[in-house]
Amino acid sequence: MSDQPDPPTSSAESTVPGRIVAVLGRGVVPATEPILRADDLGALRGDGIFETVHIRGGRPWMLREHLDRMSRSAARLELALPSPDALTDLVTTALAEWPPAVEGALRLVCTRGPETGGDVTVYATVTAIASTVLGSRRNGITVATASLGFAADARQRAPWLLGGAKTVSYAVNMASQRWAMAQGADDVLWVSADGYALEGPTSTLVWLTGSTLCTVPAEATGILAGTTARWLFDHATDVGFDTDERLTTPGALADADGVWFTSSVRGVVEIRAIDGVKMRNATDTERLRSLLGYGA
Ligand code: PLP
């Protein structure tokens, strides 16, 4: 399912703002102004990294955690990411005009820059959360499983596969979601060649077994370590859950007491069915959502 923002409405009464774009070293620029050179390796090779940060009350949620993950992604790609202070200033600049009442998503992007050498290209965009995302929070989603083609532990031994890095090379992620939609599902659950459930193309898999909230171990499998799931797991014991990281299979998830995708944009959305098999009704969705501080 698409996390793309809705197009801004032109109605004078509309409260949905258009896209804000801010470029490092330049400040806010018109949203339609071109900011990448034709030979930027981000565009030519998908060679760059990004983060998507939830904007609530006009402020970035968990910015430090996102900047930490961005530095880890930069290290994996040997990319000269500007300092956290410079990136924080860019985020502040981008958010200066954002209406605090509007829930948003901020993308922070760093590409390798011109093919002939030179500085990285760094910019931020802010958009309102798409209505499809708000709908999925209320209604849940269905997913289709799709193989990533390698074993769950393959990326640990293959650093060139960039496991755990949030790169701008999301063509496979988007193709997976289009494929799922063509099957009549809302999203994809990626599965390893040896049959383990891994993650969604833009989300972390979380499930409940009894009172234990579980997710997939990121280091061992090369999935992206989700900031939302991390926050949930760090606070889950406050509301009576135990937590664990373990492997599971799509078939075993049918016996779980709740299955969700979590991400910065969606918050937490209930997975209602996997490959047409209905999941048990999750009774804890609202508890998790309010723990994370997302609206319904
Ligand atoms: N996994 C992948 C592949 C993602 O792209 C994302 C989010 O973009 C996530 C998991 C969830 O991460 P987070 O909770 O930090 O948004």
Side-chain angles (χ1 to χ4, degrees):
M1 65 154 306
S2 170
D3 288 353
Q4 300 304 307
D6 296 332
T9 50
S10 54
S11 145
E13 299 92 61
S14 165
T15 53
V16 179
R19 181 186 304 267
I20 289 178
V21 179
V23 182
L24 191 72
R26 286 171 59 192
V28 173
V29 299
T32 50
E33 187 170 309
I35 57 167
L36 283 189
R37 282 176 44 154
D39 65 345
D40 193 297
L41 288 162
L44 293 183
R45 304 272 196 213
D47 193 357
I49 57 177
F50 78 109
E51 283 293 322
T52 306
V53 183
H54 188 235
I55 304 303
R56 46 174 74 174
R59 296 170 56 83
W61 191 50
M62 289 199 290
L63 181 60
R64 188 175 50 77
E65 287 80 354
H66 283 282
L67 292 180
D68 285 351
R69 187 171 66 189
M70 203 169 188
S71 328
R72 292 196 298 275
S73 297
R76 292 238 158 134
L77 272 74
E78 300 174 39
L79 206 57
L81 185 68
S83 71
D85 283 352
L87 295 173
T88 302
D89 285 351
L90 177 63
V91 169
T92 306
T93 302
L95 287 173
E97 300 292 314
W98 189 257
V102 180
E103 190 184 346
L106 177 138
R107 285 201 185 96
L108 193 53
V109 182
C110 174
T111 70
R112 199 174 296 278
E115 191 170 29
T116 46
D119 290 339
V120 289
T121 306
V122 184
Y123 60 94
T125 67
V126 195
T127 49
I129 303 283
S131 53
T132 48
V133 170
L134 300 177
S136 71
R137 285 187 197 159
R138 285 189 297 274
N139 306 324
I141 56 170
T142 60
V143 302
T145 58
S147 174
L148 267 187
F150 43 71
D153 63 355
R155 286 186 286 198
Q156 211 181 18
R157 300 185 307 269
W160 58 88
L161 291 178
L162 299 177
K166 193 164 168 67
T167 78
V168 295
S169 314
Y170 261 42
V172 167
N173 305 44
M174 298 299 104
S176 300
Q177 289 185 328
R178 283 194 301 274
W179 174 83
M181 284 181 195
Q183 316 302 307
D186 299 312
D187 203 345
V188 166
L189 173 61
W190 275 336
V191 175
S192 66
D194 44 352
Y196 294 108
L198 294 175
E199 62 181 338
T202 60
S203 309
T204 307
L205 176 68
V206 171
W207 69 98
L208 185 67
T209 301
S211 63
T212 306
L213 206 54
C214 305
T215 192
V216 176
E219 272 296 312
T221 60
I223 64 164
L224 189 73
T227 55
T228 318
R230 181 72 272 147
W231 198 94
L232 198 57
F233 277 57
D234 285 348
H235 294 82
T237 48
D238 302 347
V239 292
F241 293 113
D242 300 319
T243 59
D244 193 23
E245 294 188 351
R246 58 176 79 151
L247 290 174
T248 189
T249 61
L253 287 171
D255 295 325
D257 299 300
V259 187
W260 300 273
F261 269 167
T262 66
S263 75
S264 303
V265 171
R266 284 168 165 178
V268 56
V269 299
E270 187 179 332
I271 296 180
R272 296 266 161 89
I274 300 178
D275 290 338
V277 177
K278 283 182 85 173
M279 298 295 104
R280 286 191 188 160
N281 214 8
T283 54
D284 291 289
T285 305
E286 280 315 312
R287 191 144 68 117
L288 297 180
R289 198 194 328 277
S290 66
L291 185 59
L292 284 167
Y294 281 80

